[in-house]
Amino acid sequence: MSLLGEKCVRCGVRTKNLYQVKPTCPSCVEHIKLVLASAREIRRACPADGSELAKEVVHGVIIDRCPACKGVWLDAGEMERMNEDVAAEVWKTAAFARTPFG
Ligand SMILES: [Zn+2]
Ligand SMILES: [Zn+2]
């Protein structure tokens, strides 16, 4: 291993941190853990069309995204865990979130 560490397998940043024997920077380790945690969460149905929501990790927050209508659904606490910048980013990608039917 070089003095600067190896390249993170996920984002390419130099890191000396290891996760499951692969060089992985601490922020990517957090992301991977969240993705793993989200996989264990109960999947919910889209309130609009009943499709099974897919779990996504956006800036450290687990969100439910509907593959059919692209709506994003958040638990009450999930929004509060985001800072404003992150929330703006999420809503930018979630133009159809929480729009009334039709
Ligand atoms: Zn990384
Ligand atoms: Zn939907």
Side-chain angles (χ1 to χ4, degrees):
M1 188 182 280
S2 76
L3 206 62
L4 288 169
E6 303 294 315
K7 278 187 176 177
C8 169
V9 290
R10 191 167 165 271
C11 72
V13 114
R14 292 276 179 187
T15 181
K16 292 179 182 173
N17 198 52
L18 289 177
Y19 181 67
Q20 293 178 347
V21 306
K22 295 194 184 82
T24 314
C25 75
S27 65
C28 285
V29 170
E30 285 307 305
H31 182 94
I32 291 165
K33 284 180 178 173
L34 270 173
V35 170
L36 294 175
S38 73
R40 288 194 299 268
E41 281 191 3
I42 295 164
R43 286 174 177 256
R44 281 169 289 185
C46 175
D49 52 47
S51 300
E52 189 177 83
L53 299 174
K55 299 282 181 187
E56 268 182 43
V57 175
V58 180
H59 297 280
V61 179
I62 298 168
I63 62 169
D64 296 298
R65 189 191 296 275
C66 175
C69 68
K70 310 297 181 203
V72 172
W73 307 93
L74 297 164
D75 289 338
E78 288 174 338
M79 199 69 193
E80 285 154 24
R81 286 205 300 274
M82 297 181 193
N83 65 39
E84 279 180 24
D85 289 350
V86 173
E89 176 87 8
V90 170
W91 292 118
K92 209 162 57 189
T93 64
F96 303 106
R98 296 206 191 283
T99 50
F101 305 161

